[in-house]
């Protein structure tokens, strides 16, 4: 099956710092989503971005499908940004499931 | 509009018992998928249902089963519970099963097997 690798696995920042999270995937994809998992376990949709660039406030994401990677940028980080960030992809031709990476645990200190 | 709702939020069961988890998708969404997330890992795909039929199944034993009802809500059933079934169970809904449809997740059911 498709492989999804996220890096770094852990990231510790001071409030106000910027960060870049990376997601590499091993095959062509129909769908790529970034999620933030809150402390209660819910996956919050950040971006639906199979290709191109999107921005939402302090967050932005870029997916280069031909090179099989996606980046999530967090600017001016806040303590509320802490949590686990997941990248999930849907392999081309298997339009029924998302394959998740292992996530990046982000800790933002005040 | 209500998002994806799951019940119960927490559950404690004994080994060997059976459990039923429930999910209501976003209004208008016809596809429901189930995922299992164990501590420290990303969610793993269990099932997808669309129009009341199983459309995909992950690498899980036959103890796991599911169904989808005419109103598109869904149940996940697990028989003969094992300690290793302790996990967060997530339900996702999407508009259809077409290529590249965005998925939205519920808050999950945290199952503890003792």
């Amino acid at each position: 099956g498709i492989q999804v690798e996220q890096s770094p696995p852990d990231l510790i920042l001071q409030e106000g710092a910027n960060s870049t999270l990376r997601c590499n995937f091993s095959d062509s994809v129909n769908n790529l989503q970034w999620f933030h998992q809150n402390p209660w376990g819910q996956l919050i949709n950040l971006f639906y971005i199979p290709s191109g660039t999107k921005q939402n406030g302090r967050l932005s994401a870029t997916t280069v499908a031909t090179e099989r990677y996606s980046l999530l940028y967090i600017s001016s980080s806040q303590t509320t940004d802490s949590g686990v960030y997941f990248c999930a992809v849907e392999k081309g031709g298997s339009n029924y499931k998302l394959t998740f990476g292992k996530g990046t645990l982000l800790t933002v200190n005040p | 509009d209500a998002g994806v709702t799951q019940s119960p939020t927490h559950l404690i069961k004994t080994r060997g018992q059976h459990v039923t988890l429930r999910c209501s998708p976003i209004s208008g969404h016809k596809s429901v998928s189930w995922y299992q997330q164990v501590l420290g890992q990303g969610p793993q795909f269990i099932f997808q249902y669309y129009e009341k039929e199983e459309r995909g199944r992950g690498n899980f034993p036959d103890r796991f089963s599911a169904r989808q009802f005419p109103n598109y809500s869904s149940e996940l059933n697990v028989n003969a519970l094992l300690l290793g079934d302790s996990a967060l169970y997530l339900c996702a809904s999407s508009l259809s099963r077409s290529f590249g449809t965005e998925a939205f997740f519920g808050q999950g059911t945290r199952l503890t097997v003792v």
Side-chain angles (χ1 to χ4, degrees), chain B residues 8 10-14 17 19 81 109-114:
Chain B
H10 295 83
L11 202 52
I12 300 175
K13 289 286 190 178
T14 303
Q17 284 189 317
V19 68
L81 285 167
T109 294
R110 196 168 297 276
L111 173 65
T112 302
V113 183
V114 298

Side-chain angles (χ1 to χ4, degrees), chain B residues 13-25:
Chain B
K13 289 286 190 178
T14 303
R15 277 178 299 174
Q17 284 189 317
H18 162 271
V19 68
T20 298
L21 310 181
R22 295 177 174 85
C23 172
S24 292

Side-chain angles (χ1 to χ4, degrees), chain A residues 30-31 33 35 37 40-43 45 48 86 90 93 95-98 100-102, chain B residues 35 37 41-43 45 48 56 88 90 97 99-107 110:
Chain A
N30 292 324
N31 178 9
Q33 293 185 239
F35 297 93
Q37 190 163 41
W40 298 272
Q42 181 155 16
L43 290 169
N45 289 43
Y48 167 70
F86 286 104
E90 175 191 315
N95 57 329
Y96 59 86
K97 71 173 184 179
L98 289 173
F100 284 76
K102 292 186 176 181
Chain B
Y35 292 78
Q37 185 180 19
Q41 300 293 320
F45 173 77
Q48 193 219 34
L88 179 67
L90 295 161
R97 67 183 298 266
F99 292 113
T101 304
E102 187 175 7
F104 297 86
F105 284 80
Q107 81 280 17
R110 196 168 297 276

